[in-house]
């Protein structure tokens, strides 16, 4: 429980902000007082607002421990609903969305959705409606909170002129209930300052220890590369420039990253991060690599009745170690490991780490216009036509994956993973932009994937491409697993 003495100490910390600043931070900010924000103004407003919410935080702290002990059985069907249910019928928040404060950045290294918040894009607090922004933030997160997800907060650019009041931060914390916090697996605070640490101390009495472990301070952008697909992040130019100045002052350089983040050399046995054509050649003509055969076989036996399968992550260390063993050609027995979430994460991770998405960069622009078609039969025909443009190995892989996901959908009364819910999970892993992920593109991508799964029989049962050459015997394994006679 927070005491008066504790709040007095926190208030004193704010008042002495510049005095407690770490020596190396003083060097960094010397001569560039406006690089981030006016600390003196933040210090004054924080001190005043702290008094206003002190009693409320103190009261909340009394019940925090009891609340954290409670257990809530997740109801995926009720909480997820359908995309139409999640969307407000009379508000698309376009006036808030146009600022680009919140964006989507695909999946991280562990198969979790990534949401990015950029403080430098906050407009002036004299004109910006922060209450409406809070509703927009909840509206955006509602699309992802039933998955494991990560948040990246770029702190640089927060100034007294665009800073939300502390009372708003306290209101936001209260409104983001357990449904939002439960599946948040990592909160990356990029370029933190003492102001962030003071806020953390202020809210610490009502923040559980478990939630506190999810918070990670990130001092330099290159530190994100160990956890996120860096090229998919929408990093504002001011944040890049600020990071470059910091790196220069500290005489540090970013370390290069390889596609498979734990090794820079390509192994002959490697399966993650390898082009499909290369995998097919190394696998005697089968474009579906052994790791996917192993994973799907295991999940068919043990995972189809697991509620929320593909929505949960596994331990980061376990994921890295298992991927390393697979790429080194070591035998991995998923049945012996007995971790359905691990197998499911590696499934998504394999797709996400392909050098080019399974549906190819070429089809990206065609896919994201699918919602321009207003009839469902036209959309199905459109999807079939797009698949006609895929390379043969991509088609084989896509059908293999879609056929397996049909088995997941057949048990959706138990696992709650309908075609709609699977589309939310797999859409961003099947197609992404060659530049950066976009929150606006997620709707069309998920819609395309939903049609692919809901109309699987129609889309894959009859498919002819006259430009393909007759099949060679080397594709017999692919035929056995994914192809139907009607296609040829």
């Amino acid at each position: 429980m927070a005491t008066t003495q504790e709040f007095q100490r926190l208030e004193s910390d704010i008042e002495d902000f510049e005095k407690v600043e770490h020596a190396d931070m003083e060097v960094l900010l010397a001569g560039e007082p406006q690089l981030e924000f006016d600390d003196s103004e933040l210090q004054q407003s924080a001190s005043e607002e702290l008094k206003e919410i002190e009693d409320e935080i103190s009261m909340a702290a009394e019940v925090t421990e009891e609340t954290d002990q409670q257990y809530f059985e997740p109801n995926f069907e009720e909480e997820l609903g359908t995309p139409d249910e999640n969307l407000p019928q009379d508000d698309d928040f376009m006036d808030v969305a146009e600022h680009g404060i919140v964006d989507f950045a695909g999946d991280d290294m562990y198969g979790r959705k990534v949401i990015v918040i950029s403080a430098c894009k906050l407009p002036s607090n004299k004109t910006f409606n922060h209450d409406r922004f809070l509703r927009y933030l909840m509206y955006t997160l509602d699309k992802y909170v039933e998955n494991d997800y990560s948040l990246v907060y770029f702190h640089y650019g927060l100034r007294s002129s665009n800073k939300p009041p502390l009372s708003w931060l306290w209101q936001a914390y209260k409104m983001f209930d357990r449904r939002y916090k439960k599946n948040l697996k990592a909160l990356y605070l990029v370029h933190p300052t003492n102001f962030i640490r003071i806020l953390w101390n202020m809210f610490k009495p009502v923040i559980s220890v478990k939630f506190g472990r999810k918070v990670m301070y990130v001092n330099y952008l290159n530190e994100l590369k160990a956890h996120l697909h860096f090229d998919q992040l929408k990093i504002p130019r001011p944040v890049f420039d600020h990071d470059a100045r910091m790196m220069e002052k500290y005489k540090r350089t970013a370390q290069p990253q390889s596609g498979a983040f734990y090794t820079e050399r390509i192994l002959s046995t490697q399966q993650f991060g390898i082009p499909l054509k290369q995998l097919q050649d190394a696998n005697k003509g089968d474009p579906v690599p052994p790791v996917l055969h192993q994973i799907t076989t295991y999940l068919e036996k043990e995972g189809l009745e697991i509620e929320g399968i593909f929505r949960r992550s596994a331990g980061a260390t376990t994921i890295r170690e298992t991927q390393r063993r697979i790429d080194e050609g070591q035998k991995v027995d998923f049945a012996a490991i007995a971790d359905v979430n691990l197998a499911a994460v590696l499934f998504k991770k394999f797709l996400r780490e392909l050098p080019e998405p399974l549906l190819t960069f070429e089809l990206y622009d065609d896919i994201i216009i699918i919602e321009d078609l207003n009839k469902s039969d036209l959309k199905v025909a459109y999807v079939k036509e797009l698949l006609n443009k895929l390379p043969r190995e991509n088609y084989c892989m896509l059908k293999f994956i879609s056929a397996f996901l049909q088995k997941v959908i057949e048990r959706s009364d138990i696992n709650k993973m309908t075609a709609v819910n699977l589309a939310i999970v797999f859409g961003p892993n099947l197609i992404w932009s060659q530049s950066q992920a976009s929150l606006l593109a997620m709707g069309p991508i998920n819609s395309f994937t939903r049609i692919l799964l809901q109309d699987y029989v129609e889309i894959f049962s009859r498919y002819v491409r006259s430009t393909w050459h007759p099949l060679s015997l080397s594709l017999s394994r692919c035929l056995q697993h994914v192809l139907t006679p009607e296609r040829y």
Side-chain angles (χ1 to χ4, degrees):
M1 174 177 175
T3 65
T4 302
Q5 290 79 8
E6 287 175 321
F7 281 107
Q8 289 174 344
R9 175 178 55 78
L10 290 174
E11 187 172 355
S12 176
D13 283 344
I14 296 175
E15 292 173 351
D16 294 334
F17 184 78
E18 292 181 343
K19 295 180 182 179
V20 301
E21 193 77 350
H22 194 273
D24 54 6
M25 186 60 70
E26 291 180 348
V27 173
L28 172 65
L29 297 179
E32 297 177 318
Q34 297 301 321
L35 275 181
E36 186 159 4
F37 48 71
D38 187 339
D39 290 339
S40 62
E41 293 183 32
L42 285 181
Q43 142 196 351
Q44 180 180 357
S45 61
S47 178
E48 294 170 352
E49 294 174 71
L50 179 62
K51 297 174 182 177
E52 298 176 6
I53 62 173
E54 170 182 312
D55 292 339
E56 194 171 355
I57 295 181
S58 180
M59 292 173 60
E62 297 179 4
V63 298
T64 300
E65 183 175 354
E66 178 181 350
T67 303
D68 287 340
Q69 297 292 335
Q70 297 177 0
Y71 174 78
F72 299 88
E73 184 68 26
N75 187 330
F76 291 93
E77 203 69 14
E78 179 179 345
E79 294 180 354
L80 260 180
T82 65
D84 289 339
E85 292 172 345
N86 282 331
L87 291 174
Q89 297 302 309
D90 58 347
D91 200 343
D92 58 8
F93 293 97
M94 287 304 296
D95 58 316
V96 181
E98 66 183 5
H99 295 291
I101 306 164
V102 183
D103 221 324
F104 175 75
D107 287 11
D108 64 13
M109 293 291 190
Y110 317 113
R112 305 177 300 216
K113 305 300 177 187
V114 179
I115 308 298
V116 175
I117 301 175
S118 302
C120 66
K121 295 188 176 183
L122 282 167
S124 169
N125 50 26
K126 294 181 179 179
T127 58
F128 192 55
N129 187 329
H130 288 98
D131 290 336
R132 183 164 171 76
F133 172 60
L134 179 56
R135 294 196 300 274
Y136 168 67
L137 185 57
M138 297 180 71
Y139 158 68
T140 302
L141 290 178
D142 279 343
K143 303 172 185 178
Y144 304 103
V145 294
E146 295 309 321
N147 300 289
D148 288 346
Y149 71 105
S150 300
L151 279 175
V152 179
Y153 169 62
F154 293 118
H155 181 57
Y156 176 77
L158 189 71
R159 295 178 171 85
S160 58
S161 60
N162 67 354
K163 177 187 71 68
L166 289 182
S167 57
W168 181 88
L169 294 175
W170 174 233
Q171 178 189 3
Y173 181 81
K174 291 187 296 182
M175 292 187 69
F176 288 119
D177 56 23
R178 188 178 187 277
R179 187 166 70 93
Y180 296 89
K181 300 168 187 172
K182 177 183 63 176
N183 291 335
L184 175 63
K185 300 304 178 183
L187 171 56
Y188 302 97
L189 302 179
V190 184
H191 299 143
T193 64
N194 262 11
F195 182 75
I196 285 287
R197 294 177 174 89
I198 288 173
L199 286 181
W200 178 256
N201 285 331
M202 185 179 72
F203 285 100
K204 194 173 182 180
V206 293
I207 295 177
S208 68
V209 174
K210 183 177 181 181
F211 183 85
R213 295 193 187 104
K214 301 176 182 181
V215 178
M216 298 177 61
Y217 289 136
V218 179
N219 294 313
Y220 305 96
L221 290 177
N222 70 297
E223 296 172 13
L224 292 172
K225 294 181 179 179
H227 308 282
L228 308 173
H229 295 284
F230 196 74
D231 59 341
Q232 290 291 307
L233 286 177
K234 281 198 169 182
I235 303 175
R237 172 51 57 185
V239 175
F240 261 124
D241 293 343
H242 174 66
D243 189 75
R245 287 191 294 266
M246 292 182 68
M247 295 290 284
E248 181 179 354
K249 287 179 179 293
Y250 283 96
K251 309 294 184 182
R252 295 178 58 177
T253 56
Q255 296 298 316
Q257 298 290 318
S258 62
F261 64 90
Y262 55 84
T263 180
E264 294 186 3
R265 61 192 181 91
I266 302 298
L267 305 173
S268 61
T269 54
Q270 190 162 321
Q271 299 185 62
F272 288 82
I274 301 297
L276 287 183
K277 188 66 172 66
Q278 185 174 334
L279 284 172
Q280 177 179 286
D281 294 341
N283 199 31
K284 299 180 179 179
D286 186 357
V288 183
V291 63
L292 287 197
H293 287 298
Q294 295 165 11
I295 288 174
T296 53
T297 299
Y298 168 67
L299 291 179
E300 282 185 33
K301 294 179 180 178
E302 305 294 340
L304 296 185
E305 296 187 358
I306 299 297
E307 186 170 327
I309 183 176
F310 293 113
R311 288 194 175 279
R312 299 289 175 260
S313 187
T317 301
T318 304
I319 294 171
R320 286 195 296 267
E321 177 62 19
T322 306
Q323 180 178 341
R324 181 190 63 78
R325 291 175 57 198
I326 291 171
D327 278 346
E328 290 180 353
Q330 299 182 36
K331 182 178 180 181
V332 173
D333 188 344
F334 287 102
I337 297 173
D339 187 342
V340 168
N341 290 332
L342 173 64
V345 167
L346 289 173
F347 193 150
K348 295 183 295 180
K349 202 169 189 293
F350 173 86
L351 294 173
R352 189 66 193 186
E353 292 193 0
L354 288 172
E356 181 176 18
L358 187 60
L359 289 171
T360 71
F361 290 129
E362 180 183 352
L363 295 188
Y364 179 82
D365 290 338
D366 294 325
I367 287 173
I368 62 174
I369 65 171
I370 190 169
E371 291 185 341
D372 293 345
L373 303 174
N374 53 18
K375 293 185 178 180
S376 59
D377 56 340
L378 290 179
K379 291 181 179 180
V380 172
Y382 184 70
V383 171
K384 293 178 68 174
E385 180 61 26
L386 288 186
L387 297 191
N388 190 51
K389 300 178 181 180
L390 286 175
R392 177 165 47 189
E393 57 270 17
N394 293 59
Y395 178 87
C396 288
M397 174 78 78
L398 183 63
K399 187 168 185 181
F400 175 88
I401 292 170
S402 300
F404 167 73
L405 293 180
Q406 293 304 300
K407 299 177 183 179
V408 177
I409 294 171
E410 290 171 2
R411 307 284 184 88
S412 60
D413 58 323
I414 299 175
N415 60 42
K416 310 302 181 187
M417 297 306 291
T418 62
V420 171
N421 295 342
L422 285 173
I424 294 172
V425 173
F426 277 91
N429 294 302
L430 294 176
I431 183 69
W432 58 85
S433 169
Q434 196 164 9
S435 55
Q436 293 178 324
S438 169
L439 188 59
L440 296 178
M442 286 303 99
I445 288 174
N446 293 344
S447 178
F448 182 94
T449 310
R450 173 181 55 78
I451 294 169
L452 188 70
L453 298 177
Q454 284 183 342
D455 297 281
Y456 166 82
V457 174
E458 170 66 18
I459 289 172
F460 287 100
S461 60
R462 299 188 63 185
Y463 184 92
V464 179
R465 181 169 180 174
S466 59
T467 58
W468 282 11
H469 298 291
L471 287 176
S472 65
L473 293 177
S474 64
L475 278 176
S476 60
R477 289 189 64 196
C478 180
L479 280 167
Q480 178 182 356
H481 288 286
V482 298
L483 299 182
T484 57
E486 290 90 340
R487 183 173 177 183
Y488 297 96

